[in-house]
Amino acid sequence: MNARKIYPLIVVLITLSVVGILFIQMSWINNAIKLKHEEFQRAVDNSLKQTREEVFNKFLTKHGVVTPDEGSRLFYLARYFSLEGAFNENEVDEIIKKELKNNNIKQPFEFCITNIYKNIIVQSKGFNPAQQDGAYKMELAPEDSYRARETLYVSIREDKNLIIREMGWMIVASIVFTTIIVLAFAVTVRTLFNQKKLSEIKSDFINNMTHELKTPLATISLAIDALTNEKVIHDTDKIKIYSGMIKEENRRMNKQVEKILQAARLEKEEIKLTLQKLDAHQIINKVATNMALQIQEKHGAIDLRLAATDPVIEADEVHFSNIIFNLLDNAMKYSSEEPRIIVETLKHGNGMLTIKVKDNGIGMDRETQARIFEKFYRAHTGNIHNVKGFGLGLSYVKAIVEAHEGRIKVESAPGKGSTFTITLPATH
Ligand code: ADP
């Protein structure tokens, strides 16, 4: 199975597993809460049973009955037991409280006891008849009772917080671990996709580079074949044309290799600047002059409006020339008509020097603008077929500008041209 299919499969499987684990954990916690609830109910039931026994014993003691055996005890109770008039509120309260405590229940409670006609005969002070429905219930009558059956109702609120407190560490731990798993998963997926994108970008780059270098090599090879041709060898004009072609292709190849080297140097974070005082205008003039021929070929023009007073910066000459070259080169490359390029400089009161490179080219949308400084990023230039490049130029420009403690920004709109603005600290 290839990587293309395996990545989505892994993502789907892990997502399913995480959802499954979450589901199982929730049902575990739910079960645990249910068990705790049942445990509480059992404890209350036990307490009520013991309360009944205690009430019987107290009844017998109150009547001074000492029964020799269980049989006669039950017989006596069945015949004579009745709560009515025998116990007051405090006595019942005491007994219930004691038995609940024996079963580890310490919550406050309210109670009432009803007779056979469902009339309340004893009740705690705070008892509200509405509580009777949801209350725990216990028949107080002995088996085979001859007399009226009485019923004890105890209303006790289960402390849900207690359950949460007791299971708190479990819930917190499972939330923490699940969050860690989900986060780790998210990071892994992101890395996976980044890697995938990176490997696609790299293979694009290699294809691009091979193509870029093969074309001049093929032209050079053809020109050399032509030069060795008998007819050409004696024709000085033709020799000039062919050697000119070789020189031009050689220059193009050099430019490509230089761009790749620039990027490789950045990759190793090896920006070593040899800082010196430079006249920015002088460098801009030099680069513009070097490019003049190419611009003329495209019937374009560069307009230098170098207005900054005292445009001296502390910079690396080679890198600074490269960034100006890259910006002008792009301004020329990304134009569908005759390139009109304007370079402006301005010195600010705070000692910063601004260099603007404006073009009337194809421009770009916001999404592209946000990504052009990424390494290897290239926008689809649509109908401009002859625009070649590796997507390295602007990432280099940005890195160098930042190494000089400067900033770069772009303003652009599709079809309206672009303006790149560099701000560098100038020397005073
Ligand atoms: P390259 O020019 O080799 O593709 P760059 O890093 O110099 O790489 O530029 C990245 C992308 O930014 C280009 O592919 C292009 O889409 C866009 N771009 C750069 N400069 C301009 C410009 N002046 N006008 C329009 N688009 C530009």
Side-chain angles (χ1 to χ4, degrees):
M1 203 183 280
N2 65 16
R4 224 174 239 276
K5 283 189 192 144
I6 217 159
Y7 285 157
L9 190 69
I10 289 177
V11 172
V12 169
L13 286 180
I14 298 184
T15 311
L16 279 180
S17 311
V18 170
V19 171
I21 289 173
L22 274 178
F23 185 76
I24 290 172
Q25 268 189 350
M26 295 220 317
S27 73
W28 268 343
I29 291 175
N30 223 355
N31 264 350
I33 290 177
K34 221 155 81 192
L35 282 179
K36 283 269 170 205
H37 177 64
E38 281 168 14
E39 199 179 288
F40 178 79
Q41 280 182 328
R42 252 197 316 274
V44 175
D45 279 342
N46 268 343
S47 317
L48 294 193
K49 267 189 206 133
Q50 285 153 5
T51 303
R52 181 170 70 174
E53 282 311 302
E54 190 61 19
V55 168
F56 290 162
N57 288 342
K58 278 246 159 80
F59 179 80
L60 293 175
T61 325
K62 270 188 186 224
H63 289 76
V65 180
V66 184
T67 52
D69 55 57
E70 184 63 11
S72 37
R73 177 179 176 268
L74 288 179
F75 180 76
Y76 187 88
L77 285 172
R79 218 147 229 250
Y80 301 109
F81 178 76
S82 170
L83 250 159
E84 221 153 350
F87 288 88
N88 67 21
E89 173 209 333
N90 283 344
E91 284 169 315
V92 180
D93 187 81
E94 279 288 302
I95 299 171
I96 299 175
K97 194 184 275 166
K98 192 177 107 204
E99 296 307 336
L100 283 175
K101 206 168 156 205
N102 283 346
N103 283 286
N104 243 336
I105 300 176
K106 290 172 197 120
Q107 279 97 297
F109 63 91
E110 301 293 341
F111 71 90
C112 78
I113 294 170
T114 57
N115 61 15
I116 191 167
Y117 307 111
K118 308 271 178 227
N119 293 329
I120 294 178
I121 49 176
V122 186
Q123 71 163 85
S124 61
K125 276 200 197 75
F127 190 82
N128 172 355
Q131 288 174 309
Q132 205 167 323
D133 277 347
Y136 290 87
K137 196 169 145 192
M138 174 61 63
E139 297 281 332
L140 283 183
E143 281 184 28
D144 305 326
S145 173
Y146 295 174
R147 300 175 59 103
R149 286 166 183 263
E150 282 144 353
T151 313
L152 166 69
Y153 292 89
V154 174
S155 163
I156 178 162
R157 208 149 47 85
E158 189 177 350
D159 186 359
K160 295 263 188 235
N161 285 342
L162 185 81
I163 296 181
I164 293 181
R165 243 179 288 136
E166 277 182 9
M167 296 188 25
W169 65 270
M170 220 170 107
I171 297 173
V172 169
S174 70
I175 290 175
V176 167
F177 289 132
T178 315
T179 315
I180 292 176
I181 291 178
V182 170
L183 284 181
F185 174 52
V187 171
T188 314
V189 170
R190 224 182 65 183
T191 321
L192 214 68
F193 279 105
N194 280 349
Q195 291 290 346
K196 197 171 147 227
K197 211 170 85 189
L198 209 71
S199 82
E200 278 169 8
I201 287 173
K202 286 215 161 144
S203 74
D204 269 3
F205 167 71
I206 290 170
N207 285 342
N208 206 349
M209 182 177 73
T210 323
H211 176 80
E212 291 287 289
L213 295 180
K214 255 174 103 175
T215 320
L217 278 178
T219 318
I220 290 173
S221 161
L222 284 177
I224 290 174
D225 280 351
L227 280 177
T228 49
N229 187 314
E230 273 304 313
K231 280 186 213 146
V232 177
I233 224 159
H234 304 294
D235 186 339
T236 2
D237 285 345
K238 286 227 165 105
I239 289 182
K240 265 193 197 145
I241 293 175
Y242 286 124
S243 52
M245 267 166 77
I246 293 175
K247 196 158 184 220
E248 171 59 23
E249 291 304 314
N250 197 24
R251 191 191 60 78
R252 248 178 71 186
M253 266 191 353
N254 253 334
K255 201 171 111 185
Q256 312 287 27
V257 171
E258 185 50 40
K259 276 218 167 143
I260 297 169
L261 285 181
Q262 282 175 2
R265 252 177 254 136
L266 289 190
E267 185 107 25
K268 287 201 232 144
E269 301 198 8
E270 261 183 26
I271 314 181
K272 288 211 183 72
L273 301 178
T274 317
L275 294 180
Q276 65 187 93
K277 280 198 168 44
L278 290 181
D279 181 338
H281 289 176
Q282 216 174 6
I283 308 265
I284 295 171
N285 266 314
K286 204 160 97 190
V287 177
T289 316
N290 284 346
M291 294 186 76
L293 216 64
Q294 287 178 58
I295 297 204
Q296 266 168 27
E297 265 174 28
K298 287 189 133 192
H299 309 288
I302 300 190
D303 185 0
L304 299 182
R305 300 180 186 168
L306 310 180
T309 48
D310 191 20
V312 180
I313 49 172
E314 187 101 18
D316 182 298
E317 186 173 357
V318 177
H319 285 304
F320 183 69
S321 308
N322 282 344
I323 62 179
I324 300 294
F325 173 81
N326 282 0
L327 290 180
L328 292 182
D329 193 39
N330 278 351
M332 196 174 60
K333 279 197 311 191
Y334 298 103
S335 58
S336 48
E337 45 199 72
E338 295 160 2
R340 296 264 164 257
I341 305 169
I342 301 171
V343 185
E344 276 176 8
T345 62
L346 201 77
K347 181 88 177 265
H348 295 275
N350 58 5
M352 301 295 271
L353 177 74
T354 297
I355 303 168
K356 272 183 200 259
V357 177
K358 236 184 241 181
D359 65 50
N360 61 338
I362 56 174
M364 49 197 139
D365 56 27
R366 287 201 162 269
E367 203 193 335
T368 309
Q369 288 172 42
R371 301 198 54 194
I372 50 172
F373 297 109
E374 284 172 26
K375 201 176 271 181
F376 297 117
Y377 179 80
R378 302 204 69 219
H380 298 288
T381 38
N383 53 359
I384 304 190
H385 299 294
N386 57 347
V387 181
K388 307 250 165 52
F390 301 126
L392 293 172
L394 287 180
S395 69
Y396 168 80
V397 172
K398 185 167 195 277
I400 296 297
V401 168
E402 284 173 359
H404 283 87
E405 283 162 20
R407 272 176 291 118
I408 179 163
K409 66 171 186 180
V410 61
E411 288 153 278
S412 184
K416 300 241 164 75
S418 314
T419 305
F420 285 86
T421 309
I422 297 178
T423 313
L424 290 169
T427 50
H428 302 283

